[in-house]
Amino acid sequence: MSNLLKLLNEKKQKREKAFIPYIMVGEDSLERTYKDILFLEKEGATLIELGIPFSDPASDGTVIQESGIKALKNGVNVHKVFELISKVREISEVPLVIMSYINPIFKFGLEEFFKRSSELSVQGVILPDVPIEEFSFIEKYIKKYEIDYVPLYSPTTPLERIKDLCEIGSGFLYVVTSLGVTGEKEIDKRNLEDSLKKIRENSTLPIMAGFGISSKEDVKEIKQYSDGVIVGSKIIKLLRGDGYAEISELIKAVRE
């Protein structure tokens, strides 16, 4: 059992829900991201999803796209991300998952990327543009360096595909709660409840719901039908405005 799966299963056994914030590395500066990671850990984030900026982020909405552009202008790349994680690891073992697209990783070097991730105790990786049909492209590195590959399940994905996703994936199943790209939006919670129940019945992995979750009310409701929530665009917007108190309230909502 992977460390990530063990962590999430332990929370399930305690009947606790996970809160996973997403942040873009280096939107403001690497030093600011370093401080934000430590803040999120202190406030009780279960694990933290770190975004590597990319020029063509197909799954991301306006907020995260803008964030990535700023980070790229700041010179952030895979090397810089690993430098940051190395600094974090000097004082913290907070679970980290990298969210990226395959191009930056391929340019960095596939084996070197997963090797470095393992050395720095990065628990998992999310790659929205690597479907299960292309998983063999990275499979040997995933297995060699024991990094969890977190699969995504979207509203248009057939239920029968969950078995295949869970067979190649590990850690958790990332359930996309709404059509389209990331960003704050109105979620059809009634239909989402039904969908999450069906997904849970078919998934052998913990299910984490993300995309569009932007309020305490969203967190409180959606956590009832999942094992936890992922919040990205809202976290980024709050960080831009130094909205740390509101971020604390969002994290707290998963425990209420």
Side-chain angles (χ1 to χ4, degrees):
M1 181 184 297
S2 72
N3 289 333
L4 189 53
L5 186 57
K6 182 180 178 182
L7 168 69
L8 297 175
N9 280 339
E10 286 176 353
K11 291 195 77 68
K12 286 178 68 174
Q13 290 169 4
K14 297 176 182 177
R15 298 192 176 185
E16 297 175 352
K17 303 292 183 174
F19 187 96
I20 304 174
Y22 167 94
I23 57 175
M24 178 65 70
V25 174
E27 172 179 356
D28 182 89
S29 67
L30 291 174
E31 182 60 30
R32 171 73 181 272
T33 302
Y34 173 78
K35 293 177 180 178
D36 288 341
I37 290 171
L38 299 183
F39 165 78
L40 291 167
E41 178 187 23
K42 175 177 171 289
E43 293 304 305
T46 307
L47 61 98
I48 300 170
E49 190 181 329
L50 299 179
I52 295 178
F54 178 52
S55 58
D56 187 23
S59 294
D60 295 325
T62 303
V63 172
I64 296 180
Q65 285 185 26
E66 292 173 348
S67 184
I69 289 170
K70 291 177 183 177
L72 288 170
K73 288 181 177 179
N74 288 336
V76 177
N77 54 28
V78 179
H79 290 277
K80 295 291 185 181
V81 172
F82 281 135
E83 286 178 10
L84 171 68
I85 295 173
S86 180
K87 183 178 178 182
V88 170
R89 286 292 177 244
E90 292 175 3
I91 63 170
S92 171
E93 289 302 316
V94 60
L96 298 173
V97 171
I98 288 176
M99 187 279 183
S100 181
Y101 293 86
I102 195 62
N103 290 54
I105 293 174
F106 183 77
K107 183 178 180 181
F108 181 79
L110 289 174
E111 179 148 20
E112 182 61 22
F113 173 84
F114 288 103
K115 178 175 181 288
R116 193 75 179 116
S117 294
S118 178
E119 291 170 347
L120 292 173
S121 298
V122 172
Q123 276 76 14
V125 62
I126 301 170
L127 300 169
D129 58 348
V130 179
I132 58 176
E133 290 81 8
E134 304 296 334
F135 177 67
S136 59
F137 188 62
I138 59 172
E139 182 175 12
K140 66 178 180 181
Y141 307 114
I142 289 284
K143 292 181 177 179
K144 180 177 180 180
Y145 295 105
E146 299 181 332
I147 304 295
D148 283 326
Y149 170 75
V150 177
L152 284 89
Y153 178 91
S154 77
T156 58
T157 306
L159 273 175
E160 55 268 22
R161 193 172 169 88
I162 291 179
K163 180 181 178 182
D164 295 331
L165 291 171
C166 290
E167 282 182 356
I168 67 163
S170 54
F172 61 90
L173 180 66
Y174 190 139
V175 178
V176 177
T177 59
S178 57
L179 290 171
V181 294
T182 61
E184 297 177 63
K185 63 187 75 173
E186 193 69 31
I187 299 173
D188 186 343
K189 295 189 180 71
R190 179 171 294 180
N191 285 335
L192 180 60
E193 176 183 352
D194 293 337
S195 296
L196 288 172
K197 286 179 179 178
K198 291 176 183 176
I199 293 167
R200 183 188 289 278
E201 291 169 1
N202 288 273
S203 177
T204 56
L205 295 173
I207 59 173
M208 302 292 150
F211 279 46
I213 299 172
S214 59
S215 68
K216 290 193 298 182
E217 291 69 31
D218 288 344
V219 172
K220 289 178 182 179
E221 185 161 358
I222 294 172
K223 72 167 187 173
Q224 298 179 61
Y225 321 117
S226 64
D227 298 306
V229 298
I230 301 168
V231 183
S233 296
K234 184 66 175 183
I235 294 287
I236 288 174
K237 288 177 73 173
L238 290 172
L239 288 174
R240 287 175 183 169
D242 292 328
Y244 291 100
E246 193 170 343
I247 292 174
S248 297
E249 290 300 311
L250 276 174
I251 297 174
K252 190 184 302 181
V254 86
R255 300 191 292 269
E256 295 176 350

